């Protein structure tokens, strides 16, 4: 029996009852003979509450203090969880990210892990303890300041520790039974996926699926750490995310490889906005000037569309999408360079949504794109932007149309389950 890393999200440890329930599950794994490392998130909506509090005392809190504040959330849950485990008669010790050896760069609020030196965790395990680690945090290599990894960063902590400790699996416990073919909060007939390849999971995460963070999946793929996403409420088998197909033992046929479906799922995202640069001269260097301005402001963009220029004016429009939170910054940066770039005006639209269809089978199955557009048209959904990768098609629509569009596409590709409705055990999806 090897070492397992288990990660519990905020909704799994939302209150004392939740913490006790999780403690029992952890002790089970230990009793089964595993060495157990647990990564825990802050209880319930603690992180959001701390952010609200910070904003009340300062509109622009300093990154260093903000991170110091937010990491307190995970310290609360790690200590309580260790106490609950000890109460069940087992040894447990809690560690902050820094104590666990999670070393990051010094970009506050979205630090990247650059090294993991889990010496103290190893020692704790060797002495027979269950090690509890605060997720979402580390310590910067140069300044030795406390950092956070960005919202939802505990998943990344878990995978990084699993890699550094050479764990056999990283189990991510959440408030749904696994990765679904669509967000079960929107599509009641969404189905749990038994196995999905890293590539498809990366596209789903990049397209707005919230169950696993992109950075966490990227990390797992780089170190080839299988992830098992499952519910801390039901104890059912969840979704395996790995490079190799899952092998299931069946009574009739023996070992069976689980095939990946042609279409893995439908993701949606309403966190983006669209900027349109109107009246751009249609000559070389214009797009470069616009996107240089955006990248100098350290803004990441998603889709880009350039319209055909009107023959009479020689002017064109360029639209792109970006996180709503970066909208103001992008508009200000473009306005400042208006003369240099040369355009007429800017339009900003934050009432958009994105729907993406993901599946490696797209590469070899013609007609997927046509069926996708047909489903949207049958649902009366108008398309504003389109972008594709080898294994994904995404469209931008009105935000109001998103839920309807997701359900329509999900049905059209035969992804609706005919049995149980998907269960959401907890959390606000916030
Ligand atoms: N507590 C942090 C958040 O809510 C980190 C996490 O949950 O993974 O974003
Ligand atoms: Mg959380």
């Amino acid at each position: 029996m090897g070492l397992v890393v288990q990660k519990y999200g905020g909704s799994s440890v939302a209150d004392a009852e939740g913490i006790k329930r999780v403690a029992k599950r952890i002790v089970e794994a230990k009793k089964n003979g595993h060495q157990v490392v647990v990564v825990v998130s802050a209880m319930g909506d603690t992180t959001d509450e701390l952010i609200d509090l910070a904003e009340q005392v300062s509109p622009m809190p300093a990154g260093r203090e903000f991170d110091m504040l937010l990491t307190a959330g995970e310290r609360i849950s790690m200590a309580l969880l260790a106490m609950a485990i000890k109460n069940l008669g087992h040894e447990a010790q809690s560690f902050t990210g820094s104590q666990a050896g999670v070393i990051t760069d010094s970009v506050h609020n979205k630090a990247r892990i650059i090294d993991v030196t889990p010496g103290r965790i190893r020692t704790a395990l060797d002495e027979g303890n269950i090690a509890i680690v605060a997720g979402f945090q580390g310590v910067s290599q140069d300044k030795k300041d406390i950092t956070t990894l960005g919202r939802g960063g505990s998943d990344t902590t878990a995978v990084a520790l699993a890699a550094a400790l050479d764990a056999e699996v990283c189990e991510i416990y959440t408030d749904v039974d696994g990765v679904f073919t669509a967000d079960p909060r929107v599509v009641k007939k969404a189905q749990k996926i038994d196995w999905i390849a890293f590539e498809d999971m990366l596209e789903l995460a990049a397209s707005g699926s919230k169950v696993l963070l992109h950075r966490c999946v990227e990390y797992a793929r780089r170190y080839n750490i299988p992830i098992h996403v499952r519910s801390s409420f039901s104890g059912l088998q969840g979704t395996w995310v790995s490079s190799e197909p899952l092998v299931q033992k069946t009574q009739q046929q023996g070992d069976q490889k689980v095939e990946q479906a042609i279409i893995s799922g439908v993701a949606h995202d309403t966190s983006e906005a669209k900027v349109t640069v109107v009246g751009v001269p249609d000559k070389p260097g214009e797009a470069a000037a616009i996107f240089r301005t955006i990248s100098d402001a350290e803004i990441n963009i998603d889709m880009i569309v350039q319209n055909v220029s009107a023959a009479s004016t020689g002017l064109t429009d360029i639209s792109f999408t970006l996180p709503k939170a970066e909208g103001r910054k992008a508009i200000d940066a473009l306005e400042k360079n208006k003369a240099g770039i040369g355009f007429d005006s800017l339009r900003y639209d934050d009432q958009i949504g994105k729907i993406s269809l993901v599946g490696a089978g797209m590469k070899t199955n013609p007609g997927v794109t046509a069926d996708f557009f047909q489903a949207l048209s049958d649902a009366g959904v108008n398309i504003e932007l389109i972008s594709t990768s080898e294994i994904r098609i995404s469209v931008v629509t009105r935000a109001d149309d998103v839920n309807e569009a997701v359900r329509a596409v999900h049905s059209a590709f035969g992804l609706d389950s005919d049995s149980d409705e998907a269960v959401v055990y907890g959390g606000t999806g916030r």
Side-chain angles (χ1 to χ4, degrees), residues 7 9-11 41-42 44-45 47-48 74 151-152 154 430:
K7 180 260 169 178
S11 50
S41 293
D45 289 329
T47 308
D48 292 297
E74 271 70 13
R151 295 309 306 272
S154 301
R430 190 174 161 179

Side-chain angles (χ1 to χ4, degrees), residues 23-37:
K24 278 201 200 119
R25 185 176 283 281
I26 294 166
V27 166
E28 258 343 285
K30 170 89 180 166
K31 279 192 193 152
N32 286 336
H34 288 104
Q35 285 195 310
V36 189
V37 175

Side-chain angles (χ1 to χ4, degrees), residues 342-413:
F343 59 85
D344 286 342
S345 60
L346 296 173
R347 277 207 301 264
Y348 182 71
D349 179 357
D350 61 6
Q351 295 304 307
I352 60 160
K354 183 173 74 168
I355 297 115
S356 307
L357 184 72
V358 172
M362 243 176 240
K363 279 191 265 192
T364 46
N365 282 273
V368 170
T369 312
D371 292 347
F372 180 62
F373 292 142
Q374 188 63 50
L376 292 170
S377 131
D378 292 348
V381 174
N382 190 42
I383 299 168
E384 300 184 12
L385 303 179
I386 302 170
S387 91
T388 61
S389 83
E390 262 199 314
I391 63 167
R392 173 187 52 79
I393 319 169
S394 304
V395 296
V396 165
T397 68
R398 289 292 88 206
D400 287 345
D401 287 339
V402 166
N403 289 357
E404 189 51 41
V406 172
R407 286 190 281 262
V409 171
H410 195 267
S411 290
F413 281 89

Side-chain angles (χ1 to χ4, degrees), residues 24 26 51-52 60 65 72 98 101 111 153 165 227 233 239 242 253 260 292 301 309-310 342 376 423:
K24 278 201 200 119
I26 294 166
I51 292 172
D52 291 347
M60 289 264 261
E65 304 313 324
S98 163
L165 293 163
I227 301 178
F233 296 81
T239 302
S242 62
Q253 294 126 313
Q260 183 160 271
R292 174 62 59 208
I301 55 159
S309 64
L376 292 170
V423 189

